[in-house]
């Protein structure tokens, strides 16, 4: 059996994702699709609208054969680390290829890559985001600038793949949403951005959502609790107000001095959006600030995130018969530990950060995220 | 002018407190009564049912002339430290005497005191509470055991007074509540315990409360938001679940190893009472565990509490004309800093812990506890 990999968030799973999954199988002729999916906390520094189990269920129903979790210490990171975590897992699982959507699949990513400074440590000297430094270097040497989120992420997949010995065949495809952050669902379109779909779901605008998602997603959005930052805002405010700045200083992605600003604005802010507006400056993008907020909420320190990143794993969330057979096939050659259920040792050590992230999500969502949860086994699929 | 001091919590102010205040003036013939009152977090490790401003208002209406706050780093401590903080403030304010209620005013506290080991450091060797060690030592040398809360506290006033050079004349009086923790209000009694009154207030049993409190207290309980641990439970649970045990280990009054137990039980507990039940063991009293919970909620570390205790202050919450005149009289000889309003420097440094404690209380209570608050000035009194 051969497998194709995908790196996803499914927040929530929509027609663009369905197209991506179908194309991945079609382009590669793979027997099995392996989906690495962020858990309950996402790359743009926000909670998933549906929990990881609901999203795993939707992925299975959309035809994914094996779904594994991208651990929180990679899922809530800038593109280059998010990509690294996902590529490491797919490589460990012996996938042949990685298919991903991008705004400009015709870009010559491999050529662009050669233009980068050899050592990425060169980027650490400035108080700017990785993406900005990246683009500055690229622009200087090639004239190309990756301003679209998925072009940037795609580029990071190439870098990550190189890092892990180019085990994956990288296949960019054209994304089926013109503008990633399109704020509204366009009439008479089969596709819409996750942002637009989430906004419509919060407003219960089901008729708008119906054309752009599989029916299972619509049903899930209508029946499950939907999580947004507003739900976690009281905890974040409490945390920023009570933690000593010396402690907040240790939070992952907290830039020098930002701990004072976050504490000060948290005291005055009346909502999460208000916090972001007050914290915003030229130095920091909203996404960066949201990721810092996520790390603060989950009390993820830079030190523990770095340590955890050196100990990635394969945490299985769900599979069908094909996925199960594939997992059985590769099990013995796996280069990362395989976790299917949580025991006390994992809760305290190996999976501690995901477990913690799940407990916080659970305070709002109300469903156990890790304790007593087993991978979802699907009897069939529609793919 | 001469002043008599009282150390109180007024949670809430009831007829027993009114009697205490009247007796204090009567016994001493003082011109002015100075009340040191815990702020929003109390000695038994719980939030005050009414905020410190409502309770200051009630104290003024009950005849107190000057009310100052016992800082959170003394208010939420075991009896010997609670007593020390209060006695230090009254001494600094030049009071002549301290009048306090006790179960057994006829006990010879001064004689008992001589029976104690000279160095209190001897107590640090055991994993037991200060009170227990205290009593063991007392029992061994005198045969007397101080099992009632206010006998113990009274004894601590003698120790604290000795520590600060015996500036106060100590006058114990008989408490007007037979049993401090009496769970219910007894019919046809003018007096009831704070515990019983709070329980009745939560149940809106106003007819039961009416005979045992001044009318102002009843009105306040009927119109203000009432705070209990249930309100803060989600924040505490969140905090215990997300903080690393190495961090929780640093929390004030956290005994060796208790951080693991607290984290473990917090995950399973469904309410604050449930947490206490699960955390309880022979080693720790409920009061100790509640104080630890308070420190964890407010993220008070042992280190910062100890530092703060070395920098006590006089924070004025309210006064009438008499209190104002007295404050004016003693202002120049004050041996502790005097704070009447909060500025940014105080918020960040001198008053940082009280400010933090107030912000957490405020998240539930909704009223600013420190920012923009000035001492309450009362035009008259009923005393």
């Amino acid at each position: 059996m051969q497998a194709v990999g995908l790196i996803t968030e499914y927040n929530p799973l929509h027609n663009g994702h369905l197209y991506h999954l179908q194309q991945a199988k079609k382009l590669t002729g793979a027997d099995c699709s392996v989906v690495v999916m962020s858990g309950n906390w996402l790359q743009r520094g926000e909670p998933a609208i549906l929990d990881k189990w609901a999203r795993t269920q939707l992925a299975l129903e959309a035809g994914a054969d094996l779904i594994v979790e991208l651990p929180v210490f990679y899922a809530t990171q800038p593109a280059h680390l998010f990509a690294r975590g996902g590529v490491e897992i797919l490589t460990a699982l012996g996938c042949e290829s990685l298919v991903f959507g991008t705004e400009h699949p015709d870009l010559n990513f491999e050529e662009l890559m050669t233009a980068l400074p050899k050592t990425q440590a060169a980027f650490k000297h400035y108080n700017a985001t990785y993406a900005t430094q990246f683009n500055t270097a690229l622009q200087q040497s090639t004239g190309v600038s990756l301003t679209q989120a998925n072009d940037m992420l795609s580029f990071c997949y190439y870098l990550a793949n190189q890092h892990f010995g180019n085990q994956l065949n990288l296949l960019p495809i054209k994304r089926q949403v013109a503008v990633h952050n399109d704020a509204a669902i366009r009439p008479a379109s089969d596709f819409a951005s996750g942002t637009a779909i989430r906004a419509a779901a919060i407003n219960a605008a089901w008729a708008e959502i119906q054309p752009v998602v599989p029916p299972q997603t619509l049903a899930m959005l209508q029946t499950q609790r939907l999580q947004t930052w507003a739900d976690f805002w009281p905890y974040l405010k409490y945390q920023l107000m009570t933690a000593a700045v010396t402690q907040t200083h240790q939070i992952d992605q907290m830039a020098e001095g930002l701990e004072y600003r976050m504490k000060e604005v948290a005291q005055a802010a009346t909502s999460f959006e208000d916090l972001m507006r007050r914290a915003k400056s030229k130095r920091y993008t909203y996404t960066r600030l949201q990721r810092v907020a996520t790390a603060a909420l989950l009390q993820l320190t830079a030190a523990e995130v770095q340590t955890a990143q050196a100990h990635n794993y394969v945490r299985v969330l769900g599979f069908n018969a094909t996925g199960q057979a594939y997992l059985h096939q590769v099990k013995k050659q796996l280069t990362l530990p395989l976790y299917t259920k949580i025991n006390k040792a994992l809760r305290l050590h190996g999976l501690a950060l995901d477990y913690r992230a799940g407990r916080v999500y659970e305070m709002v969502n109300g469903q156990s995220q890790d304790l007593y949860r087993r991978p979802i086994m699907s009897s069939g699929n529609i793919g």
Side-chain angles (χ1 to χ4, degrees), chain A:
Chain A
M1 283 176 92
Q2 294 197 342
V4 56
L6 298 87
I7 299 175
T8 70
E9 298 214 295
Y10 293 164
N11 187 38
L13 190 140
H14 55 59
N15 289 351
H17 299 127
L18 203 54
Y19 171 84
H20 175 210
L21 200 47
Q22 287 159 351
Q23 286 295 306
K25 285 195 165 174
K26 198 169 139 186
L27 273 172
T28 59
D31 312 290
C32 177
S33 54
V34 176
V35 171
V36 176
M37 185 184 81
S38 299
N40 293 316
W41 300 93
L42 309 180
Q43 206 258 329
R44 285 199 285 172
E46 59 193 4
I49 192 166
L50 293 167
D51 75 19
K52 61 189 180 188
W53 301 103
R55 283 153 52 236
T56 295
Q57 183 68 44
L58 293 176
L60 286 167
E61 286 170 0
D65 298 308
L66 173 61
I67 296 101
V68 301
E69 182 170 359
L70 182 64
V72 66
F73 47 81
Y74 277 122
T76 59
Q77 295 292 314
H80 65 294
L81 291 169
F82 177 90
R84 182 176 297 177
V87 167
E88 186 178 24
I89 291 171
L90 292 176
T91 301
L93 279 164
C95 294
E96 298 270 316
S97 52
L98 165 60
V99 176
F100 49 95
T102 182
E103 286 86 0
H104 301 98
D106 47 333
L107 277 170
N108 191 335
F109 290 106
E110 283 171 354
E111 197 184 300
L112 290 179
M113 210 166 32
T114 63
L116 270 193
K118 284 288 166 253
T119 164
Q120 294 180 18
F123 293 157
K124 299 281 167 112
H125 296 302
Y126 317 100
N127 191 346
T129 64
Y130 194 84
T132 310
Q133 296 173 63
F134 224 80
N135 267 318
T136 307
L138 257 191
Q139 176 82 37
Q140 279 168 2
S141 49
T142 66
V144 172
S145 182
L146 300 177
T147 53
Q148 305 251 351
N150 285 279
D151 283 346
M152 181 68 198
L153 189 55
S154 301
F155 185 63
C156 291
Y157 290 143
Y158 283 87
L159 285 174
N161 196 34
Q162 188 181 48
H163 183 83
F164 291 108
N166 287 315
Q167 303 290 299
L168 305 175
N169 183 22
L170 299 189
L171 300 169
I173 60 171
K174 173 88 179 144
R175 278 176 61 85
Q176 288 307 302
V177 184
V179 183
H180 182 56
N181 285 323
D182 218 357
I185 298 174
R186 298 178 186 204
S189 171
D190 292 341
F191 299 101
S193 72
T195 306
I197 295 167
R198 290 192 298 278
I202 296 302
N203 294 323
W206 309 124
E208 276 182 50
I209 297 174
Q210 188 271 325
V212 298
V213 301
Q216 292 90 339
T217 297
L218 181 61
M220 207 66 103
L221 290 170
Q222 288 174 321
T223 55
Q224 298 288 302
R225 196 189 188 293
L226 307 181
Q227 281 66 231
T228 71
W229 252 119
D231 297 308
F232 298 95
W233 162 239
Y235 298 106
L236 176 65
K237 182 179 168 96
Y238 157 76
Q239 184 56 237
L240 290 172
M241 285 194 323
T242 55
V245 283
T246 49
Q247 187 183 317
T248 307
H249 173 73
Q250 297 171 37
I251 290 298
D252 185 49
Q253 302 174 63
M254 188 70 71
E256 194 62 42
L258 185 56
E259 63 270 26
Y260 294 94
R261 188 180 180 90
M262 290 299 269
K263 183 165 194 150
E264 191 67 27
V265 298
Q267 289 172 343
T270 56
S271 68
F272 181 73
E273 288 68 30
D274 189 33
L275 177 82
M276 289 294 109
R277 270 193 302 273
R278 288 169 186 261
K280 183 81 181 77
S281 74
K282 272 193 183 167
R283 270 186 151 173
Y284 313 112
T285 61
Y286 276 114
T287 304
R288 165 71 178 273
L289 290 172
Q290 292 209 159
R291 281 201 291 259
V292 167
T294 301
L297 177 72
L298 304 179
Q299 297 211 52
L300 295 171
T301 65
E304 64 186 355
V305 165
Q306 256 192 305
T307 304
Q309 285 174 344
H311 298 90
N312 206 355
Y313 45 76
V314 176
R315 165 85 188 277
V316 180
L317 292 177
F319 48 72
N320 58 20
T322 308
Q324 188 170 27
Y326 183 75
L327 201 54
H328 187 75
Q329 175 187 311
V330 298
K331 222 172 185 172
K332 285 181 184 151
Q333 303 110 42
L334 270 188
T335 51
L336 291 177
L338 177 70
Y339 301 144
T340 51
K341 57 183 176 181
I342 280 212
N343 57 30
K344 191 170 175 180
L346 281 181
R347 191 151 57 78
L348 291 176
H349 304 290
L351 278 170
L353 301 192
D354 271 333
Y355 182 68
R356 189 197 303 169
R359 293 306 303 232
V360 175
Y361 193 84
E362 202 175 313
M363 289 196 72
V364 166
N365 166 268
Q367 310 274 327
S368 173
Q369 291 302 305
D370 293 295
L371 265 192
Y372 316 118
R373 297 299 292 244
R374 300 290 182 92
I376 299 175
M377 297 181 60
S378 166
S379 48
N381 69 58
I382 50 174

